[in-house]
């Protein structure tokens, strides 16, 4: 990997953050893959956890997304949310995972903490149908309002269910 | 010039019996409007000419890129990434395979790293030419735009010589690139590097101190540093607001650690500083390119056949047994390469900001999930905040300076 | 009785004359959504210069145009907009579908992308390529000019395309349950309120 030479420093810096987090939230699961530190939290402590992270200096929320583990071999929980955070001061990165299940998957919204969460959460709602409790304006972001399915779920086919051709046809005579 | 929105509403509600609805009017802007450049829609609430509020809407080009990513192999999906930010496709190619290689743990050859750096920087130049050109176009500087577009044609020409396509390049491959640099390409890039700074000087002379342009962009659409960080802005937009973050320096990938260049920042955070940052970044890109093009390491461009990742060269396939086996294994649909059952995120500093991919591998050659982190989405979500209190004619200047590309916005 | 014609007078059919005028002053309406739009821009810009073929007057108001160039993919959310713009254009009007996406959906065979705009609006000319080179678009415009000269608009022969369109529509496989809420789709609603003919209802 290109950043091989800087890997060690990244690791140790991120470790500090993990230690202080583990002290505050006992039972935190963390893992590292290719220098990227990931922690798994429960939906219950999410708000408190993210508030704490923000105080630790993780001031930028890079991305909120989700993975549907429906067809993933050996997976036990269905939706895994991914929060990517960066501390712009030190350049540290942290990946936070949060798992929820059917039916009615819902997690607390963090749009009060980071503005960027607003649209990213709307996108996750649109694509996966995960409700963000406390979100100020949870509408579809990408698909039309009258669309009913959540297309990035694994049980939704790539070609859709015919919605894309559910339109009236205009011919020459209509001009 | 700028009136805070709360002032507007306060003065309105204090009048006797005059309600906001009586004089505020709504204007629909887009999705098919020449000044949006792309397909996005704004619903503006106006008090006369002043914008009181804006409601952005997107999704008019949502084509399910991420869903396709779950059905195409790592090498096939690169064609789709071309169509993401279609004014700098090379950068998307590099970003996608950078993420895949992070997941797979592949170490590129030195030559490949330098080649990718060169094409990514060329993409940055062509992107900034168009985005600054569009700001110029929208504020009335048509010549400036044509200057920029002409140089883009030169870059298209380089890419066409390199891989046969003008801008849907699909250039990178897992562990390498599709075509090695030929002497002709290097010569073309050298010529470009010789002639381009002159055009850049001309462009600066045309616009940077042009009174009309400065009046229309200075102090318009101010994004403060805190807002930029909190709103997730990256790239030139964040740097124009004083966020000194550039992934090329902070998390050096490819060969960036070897080059001497500066991170361009500005403090004001208005449209004018975003323009300046982009202009300056082109100069820094030229610096990187100059250093890189003269020092391309020799050797193989793709990782070796032992790794079973990149297709071996025809020479190897026809003359060595290992080459034949490797070619065969890679072409078989049930063989392919080993992918860990892991997930990782890797980003590069694309022209527009941090462009990253969150890739989940499930052991097969097809990503289980290929999430693209698009910089445009977060920049567009900042828009209402930037435009409040300005006039209707500033809408296009702010939109242009954010450089929102619908295909990347909606994916 | 034969009419004596002065030397500098030519006799033509009115239809032909009208077509000749029309073909040489096409005003395109660029409906550029995606990457193909960049090539459309390049076609109009300095190097390729569409003005040589009398079709450079790009107008963004559908009321002023008679040639719609759909450049780029059209998705579910955009299709009603496209249809509305098509209806707003005055007759005579033509449509060029530029690029693989606009013609067939291209690489995007996904839930959101319309697989060819000719399923929903009439198309006169298809330009293959992803993206087509500017030269190809220019060729398409020249071919369209030929077509305008040959067919005219008075004979009504261009209505043939609607038959073709219906045939293609018959091939559309609408599987499964419709997921669109018809009550909230303005285009479907209008269709229901003002039914035009049985065969065209979705
Ligand atoms: S045909 Fe190709 S270039 Fe044109 S819009 Fe589609 S993907 Fe883009």
């Amino acid at each position: 990997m290109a950043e091989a030479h800087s890997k060690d420093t990244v690791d140790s810096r991120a470790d500090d953050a993990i230690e202080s987090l583990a002290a505050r939230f006992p039972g935190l699961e963390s893992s590292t893959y290719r220098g990227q530190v990931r922690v798994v939290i429960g939906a219950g402590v999410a708000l408190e956890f993210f508030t704490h992270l923000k105080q630790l200096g993780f001031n930028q929320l890079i991305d909120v997304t989700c993975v549907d583990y429906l067809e993933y071999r050996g997976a036990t929980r269905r939706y895994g949310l991914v929060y990517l955070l960066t501390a712009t001061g030190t350049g540290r990165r942290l990946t936070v995972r949060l798992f929820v299940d059917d039916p009615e998957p819902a997690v607390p919204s963090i749009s009060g903490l980071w503005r960027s969460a607003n649209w990213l959460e709307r996108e996750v709602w649109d694509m996966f149908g995960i409700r963000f409790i406390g979100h100020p304006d949870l509408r579809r972001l990408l698909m039309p309002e009258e669309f009913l399915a959540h297309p990035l779920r694994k049980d939704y086919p790539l070609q859709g269910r015919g919605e894309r051709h559910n339109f009236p046809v205009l011919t020459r005579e209509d001009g | 010039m700028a009136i805070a929105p709360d002032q507007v509403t306060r003065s309105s509600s204090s009048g006797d019996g005059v309600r906001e609805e009586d004089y505020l009017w709504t204007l629909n802007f887009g999705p098919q409007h020449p000044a949006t450049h792309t397909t996005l829609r704004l619903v503006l609430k106006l008090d006369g000419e002043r914008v009181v509020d804006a409601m952005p809407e997107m999704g008019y080009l949502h084509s399910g890129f991420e869903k396709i990513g779950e059905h195409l192999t790592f090498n096939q999906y690169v064609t789709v990434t071309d169509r993401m930010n279609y004014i700098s496709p090379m950068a998307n190619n590099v970003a996608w395979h950078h993420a895949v290689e992070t997941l797979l743990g592949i170490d590129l050859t030195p030559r490949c790293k330098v080649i990718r750096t060169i094409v990514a920087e060329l993409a940055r130049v062509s992107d900034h030419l168009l985005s600054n050109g569009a700001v110029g176009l929208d504020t009335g500087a048509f010549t400036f735009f044509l200057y920029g577009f002409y140089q883009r044609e030169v870059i298209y020409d380089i890419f066409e010589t390199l891989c046969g396509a003008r801008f849907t390049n699909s250039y990178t491959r897992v562990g390498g690139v599709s075509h090695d640099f030929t002497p002709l390409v290097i010569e073309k890039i050298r010529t470009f590097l010789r002639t381009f700074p002159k055009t850049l000087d001309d462009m600066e002379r045309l616009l940077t101190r042009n009174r009309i342009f400065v009046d229309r962009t200075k102090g318009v659409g101010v994004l403060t540093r805190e807002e930029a960080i909190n709103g997730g802005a990256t790239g030139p937009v964040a740097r124009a607001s004083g966020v000194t973050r550039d992934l090329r320096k902070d998390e050096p990938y490819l060969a960036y650690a070897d080059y001497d260049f500066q991170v361009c920042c500005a403090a004001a955070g208005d449209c004018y500083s975003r323009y300046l940052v982009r202009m300056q970044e082109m100069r820094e890109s030229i610096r990187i390119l100059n250093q890189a093009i003269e020092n391309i390491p020799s050797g193989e461009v793709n990782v070796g056949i032992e790794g079973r990742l990149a297709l071996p060269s025809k020479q190897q396939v026809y003359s060595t047994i290992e080459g034949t086996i490797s070619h065969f294994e890679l072409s078989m649909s049930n063989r392919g390469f080993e992918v860990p059952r892991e997930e990782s995120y890797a980003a590069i500093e694309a022209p527009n900001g941090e462009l990253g991919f969150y890739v989940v591998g499930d052991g097969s050659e097809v990503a289980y999930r290929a999430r693209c982190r698009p910089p445009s989405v977060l920049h567009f979500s900042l828009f209402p905040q930037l435009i409040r209190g300005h006039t209707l004619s500033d809408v296009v200047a702010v939109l242009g300076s954010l450089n929102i590309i619908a295909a990347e916005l909606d994916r | 009785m034969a009419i004596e014609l002065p030397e500098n007078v030519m006799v033509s059919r009115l239809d032909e004359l009208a077509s000749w005028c029309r073909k040489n002053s096409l005003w395109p309406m660029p409906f550029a959504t995606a990457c193909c739009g960049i090539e459309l821009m390049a076609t109009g810009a300095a190097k390729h210069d569409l003005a040589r073929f009398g079709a450079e007057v790009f107008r963004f108001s559908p009321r002023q145009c008679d040639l719609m160039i759909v450049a780029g993919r059209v998705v579910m959310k955009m299709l009603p907009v496209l249809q509305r713009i098509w209806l707003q254009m005055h007759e005579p009007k033509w449509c060029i579908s530029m690029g693989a996406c606009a013609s067939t959906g291209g690489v995007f065979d996904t839930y959101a992308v319309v697989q060819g705009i000719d399923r929903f609006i009439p198309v006169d000319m298809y330009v293959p390529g992803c993206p087509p080179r500017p030269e190809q678009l220019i060729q398409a415009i020249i071919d369209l000019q030929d077509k305008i000269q040959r067919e005219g608009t008075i004979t009504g022969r261009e209505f043939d395309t609607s038959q073709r369109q219906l045939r293609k529509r018959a091939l559309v496989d609408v599987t499964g349950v419709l997921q669109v809420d018809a009550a909230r789709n303005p285009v479907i609603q209008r269709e229901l309120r003002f039914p035009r003919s049985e065969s065209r209802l979705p």
Side-chain angles (χ1 to χ4, degrees), chain C residues 3 27 82 88 95 115 142 148:
Chain C
I3 303 169
W27 284 28
L82 175 73
Q88 282 172 354
C95 175
Q115 301 294 299
I142 296 174
I148 295 170

Side-chain angles (χ1 to χ4, degrees), chain A residues 27-88:
Chain A
L28 202 67
E29 285 174 49
S30 78
S31 59
T32 310
Y33 180 68
R34 305 229 189 268
Q36 298 173 7
V37 185
R38 302 168 296 189
V39 295
V40 183
I41 59 167
V45 294
L47 261 185
E48 192 193 346
F49 185 81
F50 282 114
T51 317
H52 185 64
L53 273 184
K54 203 176 170 189
Q55 283 158 5
L56 278 183
F58 287 95
N59 51 2
Q60 193 165 39
L61 178 72
I62 289 291
D63 200 359
V64 178
T65 183
C66 180
V67 185
D68 179 359
Y69 288 105
L70 184 67
E71 292 161 3
Y72 200 80
R73 214 168 352 112
T76 47
R77 320 235 9 210
R78 175 142 187 205
Y79 303 105
L81 282 132
V82 184
Y83 297 83
L84 300 170
L85 294 159
T86 307
T88 49

Side-chain angles (χ1 to χ4, degrees), chain B residues 46-207:
Chain B
L46 298 170
D47 172 11
E49 223 188 318
R50 205 162 295 288
V51 181
V52 177
D53 206 353
M55 278 155 278
E57 214 188 305
M58 54 189 259
Y60 291 93
L61 198 54
H62 174 68
S63 355
F65 280 68
E66 289 174 10
K67 192 85 177 174
I68 301 180
E70 297 167 5
H71 292 81
L72 295 184
T73 66
F74 292 132
N75 270 332
Q76 288 170 335
Y77 189 57
V78 72
T79 54
V80 177
T81 62
D82 276 340
R83 282 127 184 105
M84 231 168 235
N85 181 345
Y86 44 74
I87 65 173
S88 55
M90 277 292 190
N92 305 349
N93 294 171
V94 173
W96 165 246
H97 276 140
H98 177 61
V100 171
E101 281 148 13
T102 308
L103 177 74
L104 301 179
I106 299 170
D107 212 356
L108 294 173
T109 61
R111 184 174 172 87
C112 179
K113 281 184 191 167
V114 174
I115 285 180
R116 283 198 189 175
T117 313
I118 292 174
V119 294
E121 286 310 306
L122 281 175
R124 187 183 318 279
V125 173
S126 77
D127 174 286
H128 287 356
L129 278 175
L130 189 71
S131 55
N132 268 355
V135 181
L137 189 63
D138 292 342
T139 51
F142 192 57
T143 324
F144 180 80
F145 172 76
L146 288 180
Y147 270 58
F149 218 89
Y150 186 75
Q151 290 298 329
R152 272 176 68 82
E153 286 280 340
V154 179
I155 297 179
Y156 281 165
D157 196 40
I158 294 173
F159 285 160
E160 199 176 348
T161 322
L162 179 59
C163 59
R166 275 160 65 86
F167 69 88
T168 41
N169 312 100
S170 310
Y171 181 56
T172 55
R173 295 287 181 272
V174 177
V177 294
S178 65
H179 298 74
D180 196 357
F181 269 22
T182 55
L184 181 62
V185 174
I186 296 180
E187 202 39 58
K188 283 199 170 175
I189 296 177
R190 283 208 184 114
T191 318
F192 172 73
L193 291 178
R194 262 200 312 278
T195 53
F196 180 63
K198 195 166 158 293
T199 317
L200 204 54
D201 292 341
D202 283 346
M203 289 172 76
E204 287 224 347
R205 271 200 294 276
L206 267 175
L207 210 55

Side-chain angles (χ1 to χ4, degrees), chain A residues 90-107:
Chain A
T90 55
R92 257 183 299 169
R93 280 180 188 271
L94 185 68
T95 310
V96 180
R97 304 300 310 268
L98 203 163
F99 291 92
V100 279
D101 280 313
D102 273 340
E104 303 278 314
V107 291

Side-chain angles (χ1 to χ4, degrees), chain B residues 83 168, chain C residues 34-36 72-73 99-101 107-108 129-132:
Chain B
R83 282 127 184 105
T168 41
Chain C
C35 355
C36 277
R73 49 194 177 272
C101 285
V107 287
F108 298 101
C130 181

Side-chain angles (χ1 to χ4, degrees), chain A residues 1-3 5 33-34 36 38 54 59-74 82 84 86 88 91 93 95 97 113-116 119-120 123 127-128 141-143 151-154 156-158, chain B residues 56 58-59 62 66-68 70-71 98 102-107 228-234 245 247 251-254 340-345 354 358 360-362 368-369 371 373 377-378 380-382 385 410-411:
Chain A
M1 240 187 345
E3 53 270 281
H5 58 278
Y33 180 68
R34 305 229 189 268
Q36 298 173 7
R38 302 168 296 189
K54 203 176 170 189
N59 51 2
Q60 193 165 39
L61 178 72
I62 289 291
D63 200 359
V64 178
T65 183
C66 180
V67 185
D68 179 359
Y69 288 105
L70 184 67
E71 292 161 3
Y72 200 80
R73 214 168 352 112
V82 184
L84 300 170
T86 307
T88 49
R93 280 180 188 271
T95 310
R97 304 300 310 268
L113 290 171
W114 288 282
R115 266 185 62 105
S116 48
W119 279 29
L120 294 169
E123 188 181 338
M127 291 289 138
F128 291 93
L141 186 67
L142 296 170
M143 300 307 291
L152 275 185
R153 286 189 177 182
K154 284 282 174 181
Y156 186 81
L158 172 66
Chain B
M58 54 189 259
H62 174 68
E66 289 174 10
K67 192 85 177 174
I68 301 180
E70 297 167 5
H71 292 81
H98 177 61
T102 308
L103 177 74
L104 301 179
I106 299 170
D107 212 356
I229 293 178
N230 198 304
T234 47
R245 196 167 153 72
L247 297 187
E251 299 168 5
Y253 53 95
L254 296 180
R341 285 167 53 80
E342 266 293 353
E343 24 201 286
S344 75
Y345 171 82
E354 176 172 338
Y358 189 86
V360 180
D362 62 348
Y368 184 77
R369 169 108 168 85
R371 156 75 180 172
R373 188 265 176 204
V377 171
L378 297 165
F380 193 36
S381 74
L382 294 169
Q385 190 178 348
D410 299 341
R411 285 152 293 130

